[in-house]
Amino acid sequence: MPQLLDNLNPEQLAAVTLAPQHALILAGAGSGKTRVLTTRIAWLIQNGYCSPQGILAVTFTNKAAKEMLTRLSAMFPINTRGMWIGTFHGLCNRFLRAHHRDAGLPQLFQILDSGDQLASIKRLLKALNIDDEKFPPRELQHFINAQKEAGLRPAAVEAWDDYTRRRVELYTEYEAQCQREAVVDFPELLLRSYELLERNEPIRRHYQARFRHILVDEFQDTNRLQYKWLSLLADGGREGGASLFCVGDDDQSIYRFRGAEIGNMRDFERDFRVESVIRLEQNYRSHGNILDAANALIGHNTKRLGKSLWTDRGAGEPIRVYEAFTDSDEARWIVEEIQSLVRDGACRSDIALLYRSNAQSRVLEHQLFSSGVAYRVYGGLRFFERQEVKHALAYLRLIANPDDDTAFTRVVNFPTRGIGARSLEALQDAARTWNTPLYQTVPHLAGKPGAALGQFVALIERLRVETRDLPLHETVDHVIEMSGLRGHYQLEKEGQERLENLDELINAAANFSAEVGAGQAPGEAPSEPGSVLAEFLAHASLEAGDHQADAGSDAVQLMTVHAAKGLEFDVVFLSGLEEELFPHGNSTAEADGLEEERRLMYVAVTRARQRLYLSFTQSRMLHGQVRYNLRSRFLEEIPEPLTKWLTPPNPRRSYVSEPSPRYYNSGAGKPAAPSMPPPPPLRSRDLGGLAIGQAVNHPRFGDGVIIAAEGSGSDARVQVKFAEAGSKWLMLAVAKLTPAS
């Protein structure tokens, strides 16, 4: 017993030894919440408050559940196999297996993962002859899951328009199909468990009497149905019910897009009349400067339950801030800094590169690969391996080489264009007969298959003609648009990330063109568009090759901030701290969206143990064009004494309308400098012989007039007002502008 409670701080000890009652434990980042949960279970059993079978512990990952069981086994000799410790889905599966007849399920029912569920919905739409463009399968999947997570069967869903009523009908048909096939999806596991407990009093009373102590990890990530399920097992907080011990951190609630409801924490306090709220604020992970920055950031959020992290590890190093000119410069600086850290003895695996959006990984990966630094993308695919990127590259490969059968089969029916498996089988049989590539075999097919495949071939031929004289990045942009890829992902509920990756592919093409141009000898004729495309495709294949480090090897870790939650590293680089990127541009249009972005920033900052780098750029490639952003407001929310600027701060790039004097003062008592005058207008030679007001021609957009310009040399860009395409900013280094005749 003394050993069990050794080395607990006063707050941890208070939480572990709390008399059986409802309790909310606000556990800050790095405060030892897993240890508290595990020790609490052991303490309850050792002190006779319940048997191991009287414990129900809910985690959000199988990894966390296994870790908890391992720690319990090490604390004292008990058989943990019979204990109910696991994820919501795992525990509900166990419950339904035991009561399958009462739940209306066969004993050997199968579980559909997300991919299987999507395939099942596609089969349903095909069987009912439903247009999958009007009712996209993935969107319908999100609709069905959202209703289930809200605890709603089809009959309870409110539908005020014809489209929603039709979706509800499809929801009904989907349920009937799952019942026929004896399968359940993930949301169904929880919903059916809840419904069975609610309507079957004997079963409900049995489990209410059995589980005397219910412990929940990551309580801030629970959705409404999960909260109702827990409440039902705890008898709604009535006297004699189980004690509900919830551990969470409202400041780390970052999964609203998955249905997480931060309001559950406040509802729990009210519904269960919680008297014990214990705050775990001592952090065992990070140095003081990092925690002070995190506290200052999250302090700008409202409706917090209140918590302030501290440590006895000392202040540590200041937070380093770097301003780069471009995203390529930012990536180059990060990699050089990593190489310096490794030379000084740091392990690559203790270094993490975090970013807000997956699309940002491309430029970082390119620089790491080019510099020979081993890396791994954690919790996701490398850029050129992502589905949407591979689809776009497949179209480009067909333009460059129509005999590429692999590329042909990948996109011949993506986005869907009515080409089924039988048509492809007929084509493949004909290709073997004629000994020709699939593309060349299409004219030999007759009937419906030949007509459908002929339309696809016509599309590729049209794309080849339309992009013949376009710069590489405009070729990529045009193909993404005209192939239907952009439109397809715009219809997806969670297609924003895929669209960002497609935009980043355009950026990659623009950067590649610039690099190819810079590498040419003086007087050398520029490469033909076709050869540049072939070189770019080869470059993409090489970077998509087997260059990623093996699991367990010493490699730099790349990941989104969402994927980093629960992890920690000695050194953290957080890139792209610009308005519209972090915080994300969509957040300002959503209720509480900015506060969730700030919680995400809080999570990012608290991943660092010893050293934290924050970086941003003056300009960043987006959709093949240079965009100029202000630095993130989150940088302004970090107190000045905690930071060390590695570059002189530029007041003109600040988010705040009146920047802090620290960005102006060059000496004590010196007044702030006046704002800088605008740069002089560019001379004709700065624009490659062109001038503002001059009429020009573009291969794709046609005739237009230059109305503005900025930058110089390779960074020069102009704004052109086109007759049909409207106003566009174009980089002179890659745009083929010629004086209009």
Side-chain angles (χ1 to χ4, degrees):
M1 175 80 145
Q3 293 81 8
L4 187 66
L5 305 179
D6 283 352
N7 301 317
L8 294 176
N9 67 41
E11 291 76 22
Q12 291 174 332
L13 183 64
V16 167
T17 59
L18 190 68
Q21 59 185 283
H22 306 303
L24 178 61
I25 313 300
L26 294 177
S31 61
K33 65 178 177 63
T34 304
R35 183 183 183 190
V36 166
L37 270 168
T38 309
T39 311
R40 170 72 173 175
I41 294 172
W43 184 84
L44 288 169
I45 296 171
Q46 269 199 354
N47 286 272
Y49 287 106
C50 66
S51 67
Q53 286 68 41
I55 297 285
L56 177 70
V58 188
T59 66
F60 264 79
T61 65
N62 288 314
K63 181 183 176 183
K66 288 177 181 176
E67 183 180 352
M68 196 174 289
L69 287 168
T70 302
R71 290 194 187 189
L72 278 171
S73 300
M75 286 179 176
F76 51 79
I78 60 168
N79 185 4
T80 59
R81 292 190 64 182
M83 296 183 70
W84 282 59
I85 298 178
T87 63
F88 280 102
H89 293 142
L91 295 171
C92 287
N93 173 56
R94 183 172 177 177
F95 173 76
L96 291 175
R97 296 287 178 192
H99 304 281
H100 62 91
R101 289 192 184 88
D102 298 292
L105 291 169
Q107 186 175 8
L108 299 177
F109 69 85
Q110 298 300 304
I111 298 172
L112 298 176
D113 62 21
S114 184
D116 293 334
Q117 184 191 20
L118 184 61
S120 178
I121 290 171
K122 288 178 178 177
R123 275 193 299 108
L124 175 71
L125 294 175
K126 189 174 182 180
L128 296 174
N129 201 25
I130 301 293
D131 185 359
D132 61 4
E133 291 189 1
K134 188 174 181 181
F135 295 94
R138 194 174 295 277
E139 187 183 310
L140 184 58
Q141 180 186 28
H142 289 305
F143 172 78
I144 291 170
N145 290 348
Q147 306 314 311
K148 289 187 177 185
E149 288 170 357
L152 301 175
R153 292 294 183 189
V157 179
E158 292 184 349
W160 302 104
D161 57 84
D162 291 340
Y163 185 71
T164 306
R165 276 192 285 273
R166 187 60 175 138
R167 288 201 296 180
V168 172
E169 290 170 6
L170 293 172
Y171 179 13
T172 305
E173 294 288 346
Y174 170 74
E175 281 208 318
Q177 176 178 284
C178 289
Q179 194 67 29
R180 283 195 308 273
E181 298 175 0
V183 295
V184 297
D185 51 47
F186 282 153
E188 182 71 19
L189 286 170
L190 188 64
L191 179 55
R192 197 167 290 222
S193 297
Y194 173 77
E195 289 173 338
L196 178 55
L197 284 169
E198 188 180 43
R199 72 168 183 266
N200 194 313
E201 187 176 354
I203 291 178
R204 182 173 71 252
R205 293 298 181 198
H206 168 76
Y207 284 97
Q208 287 175 343
R210 173 176 179 171
F211 298 127
R212 306 310 301 154
H213 293 272
I214 301 173
L215 301 94
V216 189
D217 192 14
E218 304 288 3
F219 187 61
Q220 78 279 353
D221 293 333
T222 53
N223 60 33
R224 291 307 298 174
L225 184 58
Q226 289 164 344
Y227 178 73
K228 289 167 69 176
W229 183 81
L230 291 167
S231 182
L232 201 58
L233 284 171
D235 200 16
R238 283 182 282 274
E239 191 173 347
S243 297
L244 200 49
F245 187 91
C246 299
V247 181
D249 183 2
D250 57 322
D251 292 334
Q252 294 190 76
S253 178
I254 60 173
Y255 295 121
R256 186 174 56 166
F257 65 95
R258 294 181 187 169
E261 180 55 66
I262 192 173
N264 286 345
M265 301 186 81
R266 292 188 176 277
D267 290 349
F268 171 56
E269 278 194 275
R270 183 191 65 246
D271 298 344
F272 286 78
R273 300 174 297 282
V274 176
E275 296 179 359
S276 299
V277 178
I278 298 175
R279 290 169 171 81
L280 305 182
E281 297 175 308
Q282 184 174 357
N283 179 284
Y284 295 92
R285 175 188 300 161
S286 308
H287 285 138
N289 283 338
I290 294 170
L291 298 182
D292 289 345
N295 290 331
L297 276 164
I298 205 64
H300 287 79
N301 274 5
T302 60
K303 302 175 185 176
R304 294 176 63 226
L305 294 173
K307 181 176 70 298
S308 184
L309 298 178
W310 64 275
T311 184
D312 58 7
R313 298 185 63 197
E317 301 177 19
I319 296 168
R320 293 164 170 84
V321 184
Y322 183 83
E323 179 181 16
F325 291 108
T326 68
D327 45 358
S328 297
D329 292 333
E330 180 187 44
R332 193 178 302 110
W333 168 77
I334 289 173
V335 172
E336 288 172 356
E337 195 71 17
I338 289 172
Q339 290 172 322
S340 175
L341 289 167
V342 171
R343 283 195 298 271
D344 291 341
C347 292
R348 294 180 188 87
S349 56
D350 289 330
I351 301 173
L353 272 61
L354 308 186
Y355 34 82
R356 173 63 180 86
S357 169
N358 253 315
Q360 292 171 252
S361 79
R362 199 274 312 167
V363 68
L364 293 168
E365 287 185 61
H366 174 67
Q367 194 60 46
L368 287 163
F369 169 65
S370 302
S371 303
V373 177
Y375 74 93
R376 283 192 62 78
V377 178
Y378 181 92
L381 297 169
R382 287 170 292 171
F383 180 79
F384 286 109
E385 290 181 342
R386 293 166 191 164
Q387 179 203 77
E388 58 280 7
V389 174
K390 294 186 76 169
H391 285 330
L393 290 173
Y395 277 104
L396 293 167
R397 285 164 57 187
L398 282 176
I399 292 172
N401 173 24
D403 295 341
D404 188 335
D405 283 358
T406 303
F408 184 95
T409 54
R410 183 176 189 90
V411 294
V412 66
N413 197 40
F414 192 94
T416 54
R417 47 179 63 91
I419 300 172
R422 290 187 178 179
S423 296
L424 286 176
E425 285 175 12
L427 179 65
Q428 288 165 345
D429 290 342
R432 282 192 290 271
T433 302
W434 291 89
N435 194 28
T436 54
L438 297 176
Y439 194 92
Q440 296 182 25
T441 309
V442 171
H444 297 294
L445 280 188
K448 186 179 177 182
L453 288 162
Q455 289 179 358
F456 175 69
V457 168
L459 169 66
I460 299 300
E461 290 299 322
R462 187 169 72 251
L463 289 175
R464 183 179 290 111
V465 172
E466 291 171 349
T467 59
R468 185 172 292 150
D469 298 320
L470 293 181
L472 179 61
H473 76 281
E474 292 182 21
T475 295
V476 177
D477 187 11
H478 188 72
V479 167
I480 290 171
E481 189 69 42
M482 301 311 295
S483 66
L485 286 175
R486 189 178 301 280
H488 172 81
Y489 290 119
Q490 281 172 342
L491 293 173
E492 284 193 1
K493 183 179 178 182
E494 296 181 358
Q496 182 62 38
E497 188 172 290
R498 297 192 186 277
L499 290 170
E500 289 174 357
N501 284 331
L502 289 175
D503 285 344
E504 185 58 32
L505 183 63
I506 301 171
N507 300 342
N511 289 332
F512 182 81
S513 295
E515 289 175 7
V516 169
Q520 289 175 339
E524 187 181 347
S527 303
E528 293 293 320
S531 68
V532 175
L533 175 59
E535 290 172 20
F536 175 66
L537 291 170
H539 160 79
S541 297
L542 288 170
E543 290 220 355
D546 192 21
H547 301 297
Q548 189 168 218
D550 296 329
S553 60
D554 186 25
V556 176
Q557 307 293 304
L558 272 69
M559 67 195 76
T560 64
V561 181
H562 279 104
K565 188 171 179 290
L567 304 176
E568 55 186 75
F569 305 91
D570 286 347
V571 181
V572 169
F573 290 84
L574 178 58
S575 63
L577 277 172
E578 300 136 38
E579 290 291 307
E580 304 297 314
L581 188 56
F582 200 3
H584 198 279
N586 295 340
S587 65
T588 54
E590 301 172 358
D592 299 325
L594 186 58
E595 296 217 345
E596 175 127 344
E597 288 291 297
R598 190 173 283 108
R599 291 195 291 270
L600 197 57
M601 180 70 180
Y602 175 84
V603 167
V605 169
T606 54
R607 298 312 94 195
R609 298 191 193 105
Q610 299 170 11
R611 185 177 287 193
L612 175 64
Y613 293 88
L614 307 177
S615 63
F616 63 99
T617 68
Q618 294 182 9
S619 65
R620 188 175 296 273
M621 289 284 286
L622 185 64
H623 204 64
Q625 298 179 8
V626 178
R627 299 290 176 87
Y628 294 83
N629 294 320
L630 299 173
R631 64 173 173 249
S632 172
R633 68 189 73 194
F634 298 150
L635 278 170
E636 313 299 329
E637 294 172 1
I638 297 175
E640 177 193 359
L642 305 178
T643 61
K644 177 183 179 181
W645 283 74
L646 304 181
T647 49
N650 182 354
R652 300 184 69 207
R653 306 235 54 89
S654 175
Y655 165 77
V656 292
S657 56
E658 295 186 5
S660 167
R662 63 178 163 138
Y663 299 128
Y664 288 94
N665 293 350
S666 57
K670 200 171 180 179
S675 58
M676 296 175 63
L682 292 177
R683 295 165 294 179
S684 180
R685 65 173 179 268
D686 294 327
L687 302 179
L690 303 175
I692 295 173
Q694 184 173 358
V696 292
N697 180 268
H698 187 271
R700 179 180 172 189
F701 303 126
D703 293 333
V705 176
I706 299 176
I707 60 175
E710 62 183 31
S712 61
S714 60
D715 293 326
R717 66 180 197 141
V718 294
Q719 188 180 19
V720 184
K721 179 71 175 179
F722 293 103
E724 295 182 359
S727 182
K728 294 185 178 293
W729 280 99
L730 302 172
M731 292 188 69
L732 285 178
V734 293
K736 293 186 176 180
L737 289 176
T738 56
S741 55

